[in-house]
Amino acid sequence: MHKKEIHLENLKMGLDLVNVLTTFKDDVDLSKGSICVDGKSVIGVSSLGYPTTMDVVLHSDNEITIESFERCLDNFLAKAVDDD
């Protein structure tokens, strides 16, 4: 299992994320608080609302798959907020 925090600003980003996640043969879940949905489901991802920050979980221990997963999520990673 491998987890990353991501941020989706709008529906287009949600659709782009689903398109990326469907390229993986392993299960992928999205969780926000106590809600967990299938990351390959447009309806599931859309049900979380926008804008939103959530965790994306890849259910795989394969190092090559995890590396590919990390690269694919670069555009969706949650940005740290500066407290200046």
Side-chain angles (χ1 to χ4, degrees):
M1 182 172 85
H2 190 74
K3 180 166 64 169
K4 283 291 202 187
E5 186 177 68
I6 62 167
H7 180 78
L8 300 177
E9 202 50 49
N10 52 43
L11 177 60
K12 181 182 178 336
M13 285 184 78
L15 296 174
D16 291 345
L17 178 66
V18 170
N19 286 332
V20 166
L21 297 181
T22 56
T23 65
F24 293 90
K25 67 178 177 95
D26 302 291
D27 289 336
V28 182
D29 293 325
L30 298 175
S31 61
K32 178 181 174 185
S34 62
I35 300 170
C36 185
V37 298
D38 181 356
K40 297 179 184 181
S41 165
V42 172
I43 294 171
V45 173
S46 296
S47 71
L48 298 175
Y50 303 100
T52 188
T53 300
M54 66 188 81
D55 291 324
V56 58
V57 180
L58 173 69
H59 296 279
S60 175
D61 292 326
N62 182 295
E63 289 299 321
I64 295 170
T65 301
I66 291 171
E67 288 173 14
S68 177
F69 177 75
E70 295 239 350
R71 281 192 306 274
C72 289
L73 290 181
D74 282 347
N75 293 332
F76 305 101
L77 293 179
K79 304 292 188 261
V81 177
D82 291 332
D83 293 329
D84 291 338

